[in-house]
Amino acid sequence: MLDALFGGQERRRNRARAKAQGPLKDFYAGAWPEPETPASELTLLAIDLETTGLDPVSDQTLSAGFVPIDGPDIVLGGARHLVIRAGAEVGQSAVLHHLTDDMVASGAPMVDVLTEILDALRGRILLAHFVTIEEQFLSRACESHFGAPLVVPRIDTLALHRRLLSQGFDDEPRGNELRLWNARQRYGLPAYAAHEALTDALACAELYLAQVAELSSLKSQTYRSLRVE
């Protein structure tokens, strides 16, 4: 089953690579992690996007934050926070992320931000809390600017948290238990102000390392065991 899944992702990647242009084509020249790569050797990029909503078709990306992870280490020297010139009003979403129309109007073009993200992500696993959202917004942007979707290895701290909370019989977690900040409480990690892209990316990176440490105390972890299924 998993071998078929990995093979399917490889086929999707090959199709996207054949159509990709510019920085996305360069991104696809990077190597995939092997399924049995130990967790201690994985390289990831924790990413958070602040958007006007949750629909990648109708909503806009306003800012991006990312921080690399090399095995057990968070590489703060590679962290970046980028505000995007979205060409749209922030609307009610400003209540959450505190980005104003003026801040967004003075941001960088999406194509430049996307190029920087792809360069940082090349050869790394995409990590996020509910990674589908980040992947969908980035993939749609890649199709718009570089002619092909983003197909990338993924690990999801929300999925790992769900797994950790569901180890007993009939232990289905409640929705609020799966939130990033509640998940961090399991490990006594500090409370940060939420909905700032770089802060959220760092918070996700810290949570991931704590989750891997807990899971590894039970069984050795690999990319195969940690990846999004």
Side-chain angles (χ1 to χ4, degrees):
M1 175 69 177
L2 282 174
D3 290 336
L5 193 151
F6 274 95
Q9 191 179 56
E10 181 69 21
R11 287 190 292 273
R12 290 192 297 114
R13 183 186 194 222
N14 288 337
R15 289 195 296 268
R17 178 167 46 196
K19 298 189 296 181
Q21 303 166 9
L24 184 60
K25 185 175 183 177
D26 296 337
F27 166 80
Y28 280 129
W32 288 104
E34 293 295 329
E36 302 309 326
T37 303
S40 60
E41 298 176 13
L42 294 176
T43 58
L44 309 92
L45 192 73
I47 296 181
D48 182 78
L49 303 178
E50 295 300 322
T51 65
T52 58
L54 297 178
D55 187 343
V57 175
S58 59
D59 291 312
Q60 302 293 316
T61 305
L62 303 176
S63 68
F66 62 75
V67 58
I69 305 167
D70 290 350
D73 300 319
I74 297 173
V75 186
L76 292 178
R80 292 282 282 140
H81 180 246
L82 304 159
V83 177
I84 298 161
R85 191 185 308 157
E89 294 184 354
V90 299
Q92 291 300 312
S93 64
V95 174
L96 296 176
H97 50 61
H98 306 298
L99 292 168
T100 66
D101 288 334
D102 287 345
M103 293 167 66
V104 170
S106 62
M110 182 64 190
V111 66
D112 293 346
V113 172
L114 188 58
T115 297
E116 188 162 350
I117 291 172
L118 288 173
D119 184 59
L121 186 57
R122 181 175 175 180
R124 293 181 178 271
I125 297 165
L126 175 63
L127 176 73
H129 197 74
F130 194 26
V131 72
T132 299
I133 295 294
E134 273 68 23
E135 182 190 36
Q136 288 180 346
F137 272 89
L138 290 173
S139 186
R140 183 164 180 82
C142 284
E143 288 189 87
S144 176
H145 292 286
F146 303 129
L150 179 68
V151 182
V152 64
R154 305 174 302 157
I155 292 176
D156 188 348
T157 51
L158 186 150
L160 294 179
H161 188 55
R162 184 189 298 274
R163 185 191 307 175
L164 286 162
L165 292 180
S166 304
Q167 296 186 79
F169 177 73
D170 200 26
D171 286 340
E172 183 64 24
R174 295 184 296 272
N176 64 337
E177 291 182 298
L178 298 175
R179 294 181 181 276
L180 173 62
W181 306 105
N182 291 338
R184 287 171 58 85
Q185 291 178 2
R186 181 183 182 92
Y187 305 101
L189 293 167
Y192 300 145
H195 298 296
E196 194 273 348
L198 179 55
T199 302
D200 286 2
L202 176 61
C204 178
E206 292 174 342
L207 175 61
Y208 163 77
L209 292 181
Q211 290 173 326
V212 170
E214 180 176 359
L215 289 166
S216 296
S217 70
L218 304 173
K219 180 182 178 181
S220 296
Q221 298 297 305
T222 64
Y223 173 54
R224 183 188 294 272
S225 66
L226 296 170
R227 72 175 306 280
V228 174
E229 297 182 4

